[in-house]
Amino acid sequence: MARKRVVAYVRVSSASKAQIHSYEFQEQYWRGKFDGDPDNKLVHIYADRGISGSSAYKRPQFMQMLQDARNSQFDVIHTKSVSRFARNTLDTISYTRELRSLGIAVIFEEQNINSIYPESEFLIALHAAFAQSESESISANVRWGKRQSIKDGKVTFQYKTMLGYKKGVDGNPEIIPEEAETVRRIFERYLAGKSIQNIR
């Protein structure tokens, strides 16, 4: 009997060092899991790093995995949990249904669910709803925190990616004179009707 062609899907929601380490750990886990397996052969690991799970279209590796599934490139998808697969209930159900119609199972290891069985759909929907609710709650808390900071006059600046300012000794933004001249030029050209490409 031919070995099943298995792929793994990994998603970490932030590009921080801790999350990158988490990705590397997950990759090692999947390779170790199928190393020497007589029934399954790991053919690929799809990984989206630093990307939210709220929308599948924002995850290029996830979309590539779906396309490869439609082209019969593998037989089974393994992923850590429903929340790693997607944090949107509609996406989770529609994609697992499509994959089932293609004869491809999604194995959610944490919940011990195999999507190839139609009766698994209720459990998948339940876990997906919890994941979506958690994601929405986190987003709402982040928005609330930012609004409170603005009200208190505490705005967080990403100085590493900001042109023209640095963090002053008092913790407030401080103008960098050399960079400020560049900022002025950019605004002058923009107000003169120049395109972004031209300004660059």
Side-chain angles (χ1 to χ4, degrees):
M1 185 177 175
R3 294 166 77 193
K4 285 186 178 179
R5 298 165 301 163
V6 171
V7 299
Y9 177 69
V10 174
R11 178 181 65 81
V12 292
S13 54
S14 134
S16 70
K17 287 183 180 179
Q19 290 291 350
I20 289 169
H21 177 73
S22 170
Y23 160 73
E24 290 170 348
F25 175 80
Q26 289 181 62
E27 184 179 29
Q28 286 178 345
Y29 169 78
W30 293 118
R31 294 198 185 282
K33 180 180 177 69
F34 296 105
D35 186 33
D37 187 327
D39 302 314
N40 300 287
K41 178 185 179 183
L42 183 67
V43 294
H44 193 69
I45 297 175
Y46 297 90
D48 284 311
R49 284 180 272 187
I51 298 174
S52 166
S54 59
S55 172
Y57 292 101
K58 294 178 181 178
R59 294 182 283 151
Q61 282 286 289
F62 185 89
M63 298 310 294
Q64 183 62 55
M65 180 176 70
L66 291 175
Q67 189 56 52
D68 290 345
R70 292 165 187 143
N71 292 329
S72 303
Q73 297 295 305
F74 51 81
D75 308 301
V76 183
I77 298 169
H78 278 258
T79 191
K80 180 184 174 184
S81 66
V82 173
S83 65
R84 293 295 90 189
F85 189 76
R87 281 198 163 187
N88 175 304
T89 309
L90 183 61
D91 279 353
T92 305
I93 295 301
S94 62
Y95 289 128
T96 51
R97 278 181 181 173
E98 180 187 355
L99 290 161
R100 187 189 307 129
S101 74
L102 296 168
I104 295 173
V106 182
I107 308 295
F108 301 101
E109 295 224 335
E110 202 169 89
Q111 292 83 21
N112 194 27
I113 298 173
N114 184 337
S115 72
I116 204 69
Y117 304 113
E119 60 268 26
S120 70
E121 193 164 286
F122 172 74
L123 284 174
I124 293 171
L126 195 64
H127 285 283
F130 281 133
Q132 182 173 340
S133 176
E134 182 187 23
S135 178
E136 289 168 353
S137 176
I138 291 168
S139 296
N141 288 339
V142 169
R143 285 195 300 271
W144 181 85
K146 286 182 177 179
R147 283 197 297 268
Q148 289 302 115
S149 293
I150 291 168
K151 283 181 183 177
D152 296 340
K154 298 173 183 175
V155 181
T156 302
F157 287 92
Q158 299 296 328
Y159 290 103
K160 287 183 180 178
T161 57
M162 182 176 286
L163 183 67
Y165 291 92
K166 65 180 179 181
K167 188 174 183 178
V169 290
D170 59 356
N172 292 317
E174 182 181 311
I175 294 173
I176 302 172
E178 315 83 67
E179 292 184 6
E181 183 56 36
T182 303
V183 174
R184 290 190 194 97
R185 286 186 184 180
I186 290 170
F187 274 91
E188 285 169 3
R189 293 183 182 185
Y190 179 77
L191 293 172
K194 301 294 184 182
S195 68
I196 292 173
Q197 189 62 40
N198 183 274
I199 293 170
R200 281 178 181 169

